[in-house]
Amino acid sequence: LYIHKKTPDQFPFITFNCADYFNNPQLLLSQLFGHTKNAFTGAGQEKEGLVAKANGGILFLDEIHRLPPDGQEMLFYLMDKGEYSRLGESSARQKTDILLIGATTETPDDKLLATFIRRIPVTISLPPFSQKPIAERIEIIEHFFHGEALNLNHQIELPPETLKALAIYDFQKGNIGQLRSEIKLLCAKAFLQFLQD
C-alpha cells in the first residue's frame, strides 16, 4: 500500500460558517462562489470564492441551513456536475473537484430544499448534548476546561457542583457550542477574580 502525503496546497481543507453572512445573501454567495468585476455594487474586481480555493480538497460549510435557496441550488448543481458559476457570469462555467461537508443545528427537512437534501449521500445525526450519556457529557466538559487551562496557562479546579450543573443543563441554543461559550465565560470570570485577589 502506497500512501502519498499531500500538502495543504495540494489538498486544502477550507471551512466557512454560513451564519457569518446570512443577513447578506449576495455577499454569502460571493464568498462561496466568487464574483466577476461589477457583478454587484461594490464588486470592483474579480474575486475567487471558497469553492475554487477548496479545489482538490474539502469544503466544510457550518450552519449550512443559512444558505439561501438559490445558494443551495448552486451547490447541488456543483455536486451534480462539478461546475459552478461565479456571481456575474452568465454562461461561463468553472470546474472544481471538492468534497463538500455541511453541518447544521437545525432539522435538515425543515430548512433545506428537498432537491438539495436528495443529493446528500451520507447524513450523520448526532444527539444533542442533553441526550448524550453522562460519561460523554463529563468528558466533553473536561475537554473544554482542559483547553481553557492551556490557554490561561493555569490549572483549573472544578467544583463537583459546577461539573454536575453543566452536565445536566439542557442547552437549548448552540448545544455544545453554547456549552463551550459558557465554559469560556466561567474561566474568564474566575481568572479575573484570581487576578483581583
Side-chain angles (χ1 to χ4, degrees), residues 58-173:
I58 297 171
L59 176 59
F60 174 75
L61 300 178
D62 199 9
E63 302 291 343
I64 197 168
H65 65 275
R66 298 289 193 165
L67 273 177
D70 52 340
Q72 293 177 45
E73 290 172 357
M74 292 169 77
L75 272 184
F76 73 65
Y77 187 85
L78 172 68
M79 294 164 75
D80 283 351
K81 306 284 187 187
E83 298 177 346
Y84 67 98
S85 293
R86 295 177 298 172
L87 296 184
E89 284 181 325
S90 55
S91 59
R93 292 270 177 212
Q94 309 293 322
K95 291 193 178 289
T96 191
D97 180 21
I98 63 170
L99 173 63
L100 180 65
I101 300 174
T104 180
T105 54
E106 301 292 328
T107 305
D109 292 337
D110 295 342
K111 299 289 183 177
L112 299 173
L113 297 174
T115 49
F116 183 62
I117 293 172
R118 282 196 304 263
R119 286 165 172 85
I120 300 171
V122 177
T123 303
I124 300 171
S125 296
L126 300 174
F129 183 75
S130 62
Q131 292 177 9
K132 291 182 181 296
I134 191 72
E136 187 177 345
R137 285 184 260 169
I138 289 172
E139 193 175 318
I140 292 168
I141 292 166
E142 288 175 343
H143 172 75
F144 287 148
F145 273 107
H146 177 72
E148 289 305 307
L150 292 174
N151 287 341
L152 296 170
N153 199 24
H154 275 281
Q155 184 177 350
I156 296 175
E157 293 181 22
L158 187 61
E161 303 82 30
T162 304
L163 179 61
K164 181 180 177 185
L166 289 169
I168 64 173
Y169 189 76
D170 187 16
F171 294 96
Q172 295 297 319
K173 293 187 178 182

Side-chain angles (χ1 to χ4, degrees), residues 172-192:
Q172 295 297 319
K173 293 187 178 182
N175 204 6
I176 291 179
Q178 184 184 357
L179 170 66
R180 186 176 192 173
S181 295
E182 295 291 342
I183 288 173
K184 282 182 173 292
L185 184 61
L186 284 171
C187 290
K189 286 180 178 178
F191 190 66
L192 182 61

